[in-house]
Amino acid sequence: MAGIRNKSLLPTRRAALTLIGAGALATGAIASALAATDNDEVLTESKVLRDPDVPVAGNPDGNISIIEWSDYNCPYCRKLEPELRQVVQDDGKVRLVMKDWPILGPVSVTAARIALAAKYQDKYHPAHDAMMGVSSRLTESRIDDLLAAAGVDMNRLKRDLTDHGKDIDAVLKRNNEQAEAFGFRGTPSFIVGKYRVPGVLSISDFERIIADARKAKMN
């Protein structure tokens, strides 16, 4: 695994992408000192793994992180969702970082903004599950129906979209910049421990990569 000699300094974006291209993302290879970052530096440990505005599922203290970039209108994301959640639940030591990456049109952007707005009333996960649980493309009216049925306070949601709109858009911008910097070309895409994993995986694939990531972390 490549590293950096002075951990007070961040690698350049080119250097970070070289690490990813070689199949290894190391928390130690990306310095966590956010104060040392340039304004346009997006591949820092703080922003990729520990963004406080990005929802987390699974075990928040898990010893391996899976970072998922997904779109609510992505059929592959929907297909994968129950299997990914099952792996996270069965393992018990996985921290699942959920990066909304709406790349499939305006409704995808609306869905992602609404899900992040629901976070302000502690309803991100019900909103996420409701929109991922459908079998057809979302529409704005369908989104409203799904979230209302999931127990989201729709009046507060509208207020939070207005009051926190800039913060929500900033999260989506960070998510997009990171996905592009990692070279992802579609959803779903993942970082599992130290590994860049674009594409759809099976339960056994996830289990194997999680095991490999734990071994790599020990080296």
Side-chain angles (χ1 to χ4, degrees):
M1 178 187 73
I4 52 177
R5 293 180 180 176
N6 186 344
K7 290 190 177 183
S8 69
L9 299 177
L10 288 163
T12 64
R13 184 178 303 182
R14 181 186 297 271
L17 286 171
T18 299
L19 291 169
I20 299 303
L25 166 67
T27 57
I30 299 177
S32 60
L34 188 56
T37 66
D38 294 329
N39 288 336
D40 64 348
E41 176 58 60
V42 298
L43 295 183
T44 69
E45 179 184 353
S46 297
K47 291 181 180 178
V48 175
L49 292 178
R50 305 288 173 182
D51 189 330
D53 297 320
V54 171
V56 172
N59 184 343
D61 299 317
N63 57 20
I64 286 293
S65 292
I66 295 178
I67 311 169
E68 179 187 20
W69 282 262
S70 64
D71 184 306
Y72 290 106
N73 262 327
C74 168
Y76 303 106
C77 299
R78 292 173 183 161
K79 179 180 180 181
L80 184 67
E81 180 79 4
E83 296 188 355
L84 174 59
R85 292 305 186 94
Q86 189 66 52
V87 168
V88 170
Q89 179 180 326
D90 290 348
D91 183 282
K93 296 181 180 179
V94 172
R95 179 175 176 269
L96 177 60
V97 182
M98 304 168 72
K99 304 254 184 186
D100 290 292
W101 188 28
I103 57 175
L104 298 177
V107 175
S108 292
V109 175
T110 296
R113 295 185 82 250
I114 284 175
L116 290 171
K119 182 173 181 283
Y120 291 94
Q121 55 178 287
D122 295 325
K123 293 289 187 178
Y124 175 87
H125 293 291
H128 174 92
D129 294 347
M131 290 189 286
M132 278 295 181
V134 299
S135 58
S136 59
R137 285 188 67 84
L138 294 170
T139 63
E140 292 191 15
S141 60
R142 182 85 186 280
I143 290 171
D144 288 347
D145 292 342
L146 289 168
L147 267 63
V152 175
D153 181 334
M154 301 304 290
N155 289 326
R156 174 168 179 183
L157 184 74
K158 292 176 182 178
R159 293 196 302 271
D160 287 333
L161 278 169
T162 299
D163 295 344
H164 302 286
K166 290 183 179 179
D167 294 330
I168 290 168
D169 290 340
V171 172
L172 295 178
K173 182 175 183 289
R174 292 196 296 274
N175 292 351
N176 180 68
E177 288 174 342
Q178 292 163 14
E180 290 183 348
F182 283 129
F184 294 139
R185 299 189 180 277
T187 53
S189 292
F190 302 91
I191 299 295
V192 181
K194 299 178 181 180
Y195 297 102
R196 173 186 179 276
V197 188
V200 178
L201 303 176
S202 66
I203 288 180
S204 59
D205 290 334
F206 268 119
E207 290 173 343
R208 184 177 67 253
I209 292 171
I210 290 169
D212 289 346
R214 285 201 171 103
K215 290 178 183 178
K217 187 176 180 180
M218 296 173 64
N219 296 330

